[in-house]
Amino acid sequence: VSDSTADGGIMLTASHNPAQYNGFKIIGRQGLPIGADSGLDKIEKLLNASAPPASQSGAIEVRDFCDDYVNFLLEVSGAAGEDLGRMRIVVDASNGMTPVVLKNLFKKININVLELFFDIDGRFPNHQPDVSRPENIQQLQAKVIASGAHLGFAFDGDGDRLAVVDETGQIIWPDITLGLLYNALGHPKTVYDIRVSRSVKALLGSQGIPSRVGHTFIKETMRDYDASLGGELSGHFYFKSMQYAESAVLAMLYLLVLAHRSPVPFSELARPLLSYARSGEISVPLNNQAHAKIIFDRLKQKYADGNVSEADGVSIEYSDWWFNLRASNTEPIFRLFIEAANNQILKEKQSELLKLIEN
């Protein structure tokens, strides 16, 4: 939809969620997202209003953009000119839609690929398609270790989220991946969601720009600051070259080129950013918005001596640990993230916070 002749676009998808969450993802001109705060309410009014028949019928044209898209990704990432023949990777497509692009892509580059779950099946028979959850990439980790692969990648159901596993089978969390992409792209202005690791914030320095969580906010902030790169803890990565849209496949290609050119294993590239103990995203049931306010107020009172921010949910920082709690934009749950100086502090604070949130 970055084509100036297109007025908008719609994708039918449940995204990373189970099938019962199926719905529409809508964008406007130049790929601008349409959400609750950016036009979705107007669309709802139009749907509920009675409208006269159109004066003339429209036309439908069926086009396949896949080959053009793949060629674009290979050119932009630098992978088109890279002989990746020595690389062995494992790719888990989660029985989602990404093979529509990946099968074409892997025919155009010299690389050894071990495929997992490339049969498109919306029942998701092998694991759920949310690759931000560690239990959903265990098979990828095992295959990377068993095959001696250099890297492993997992895509969610609609292919806009990416999970990365290094050659030892360890998860490279999305904010660490963002830091590696920042290095791969030559240190451009980079927008990040407020939950990224302190080590990544330190790496980005003055080139880093914080944003509320969610693709609408990330894309808007990237446009406002003319940033070339953006990323979220959920595994979405955004690129100016994509009209500020996310592309997990493009992120994978940048990482492949980075790994191929590196004299050290991928785990060593990530090591400088692994300074803190972290919880990952923890999901906790949320009854309603009134419930959310009660919990937020409880946490602000309990941790009133910390540095409190309400830029997105509640974030509270101390010198040796911090956390963010926010209500999910897509599901009736809280999302909790905690980072600490060591595992002992992390374990103590995680237990403490969950008791406050769940009771």
Side-chain angles (χ1 to χ4, degrees), residues 231-253:
E232 293 185 271
L233 209 62
S234 57
H236 288 110
F237 301 101
Y238 306 83
F239 302 92
K240 182 180 179 180
S241 59
M242 287 284 301
Q243 294 288 331
Y244 303 99
E246 59 267 62
S247 176
V249 178
L250 181 55
M252 178 189 71
L253 289 172

Side-chain angles (χ1 to χ4, degrees), residues 165-299:
V165 170
D166 71 18
E167 79 284 354
T168 72
Q170 293 300 305
I171 298 170
I172 304 297
W173 296 104
D175 52 344
I176 307 303
T177 298
L178 179 64
L180 294 172
L181 288 169
Y182 173 74
N183 288 335
L185 272 67
H187 303 161
K189 286 183 184 177
T190 299
V191 173
Y192 60 89
D193 89 39
I194 60 172
R195 303 168 299 168
V196 305
S197 172
R198 285 175 170 174
S199 64
V200 175
K201 292 178 185 177
L203 172 67
L204 300 180
S206 62
Q207 291 290 80
I209 304 151
S211 168
R212 288 181 62 185
V213 179
H215 75 101
T216 301
F217 304 113
I218 295 283
K219 293 170 183 175
E220 182 179 297
T221 306
M222 288 181 69
R223 289 177 184 273
D224 289 345
Y225 287 87
D226 192 31
S228 297
L229 175 64
E232 293 185 271
L233 209 62
S234 57
H236 288 110
F237 301 101
Y238 306 83
F239 302 92
K240 182 180 179 180
S241 59
M242 287 284 301
Q243 294 288 331
Y244 303 99
E246 59 267 62
S247 176
V249 178
L250 181 55
M252 178 189 71
L253 289 172
Y254 275 123
L255 295 173
L256 283 176
V257 172
L258 177 68
H260 182 252
R261 294 177 181 178
S262 171
V264 299
F266 200 79
S267 59
E268 292 299 315
L269 292 176
R271 189 179 302 279
L273 296 173
L274 302 175
S275 307
Y276 299 94
R278 53 195 296 145
S279 65
E281 275 194 334
I282 301 170
S283 296
V284 184
L286 166 62
N287 297 331
N288 50 50
Q289 290 303 312
H291 176 218
K293 185 179 185 308
I294 290 170
I295 299 301
F296 290 152
D297 288 345
R298 181 183 299 170
L299 295 178

Side-chain angles (χ1 to χ4, degrees), residues 66-76 80 104-105 108:
C66 186
D67 198 54
D68 290 341
Y69 178 55
V70 166
N71 290 338
F72 165 79
L73 295 177
L74 290 171
E75 180 181 352
V76 169
N104 186 325
L105 173 73
K108 294 177 180 285

Side-chain angles (χ1 to χ4, degrees), residues 131-193:
V131 296
S132 68
R133 300 182 66 85
E135 63 267 25
N136 293 332
I137 56 176
Q138 290 177 351
Q139 291 144 299
L140 172 66
Q141 292 174 290
K143 191 69 172 180
V144 167
I145 294 170
S147 65
H150 296 91
L151 278 170
F153 300 97
F155 295 89
D156 72 343
D158 65 345
D160 63 356
R161 294 190 184 208
L162 180 69
V164 183
V165 170
D166 71 18
E167 79 284 354
T168 72
Q170 293 300 305
I171 298 170
I172 304 297
W173 296 104
D175 52 344
I176 307 303
T177 298
L178 179 64
L180 294 172
L181 288 169
Y182 173 74
N183 288 335
L185 272 67
H187 303 161
K189 286 183 184 177
T190 299
V191 173
Y192 60 89
D193 89 39

Side-chain angles (χ1 to χ4, degrees), residues 303-352:
Y303 302 109
D305 59 333
N307 183 13
V308 180
S309 169
E310 297 181 73
D312 195 350
V314 172
S315 298
I316 302 181
E317 293 198 35
Y318 294 88
S319 61
D320 56 353
W321 74 285
W322 66 274
F323 75 90
N324 171 265
L325 182 74
R326 54 180 292 276
S328 169
N329 294 324
T330 57
E331 300 174 75
I333 57 176
F334 284 118
R335 296 198 187 278
L336 172 66
F337 181 81
I338 314 162
E339 186 174 64
N342 56 57
N343 284 316
Q344 181 179 348
I345 297 173
L346 175 65
K347 185 177 179 180
E348 291 173 358
K349 296 305 178 182
Q350 181 170 320
S351 176
E352 183 176 285

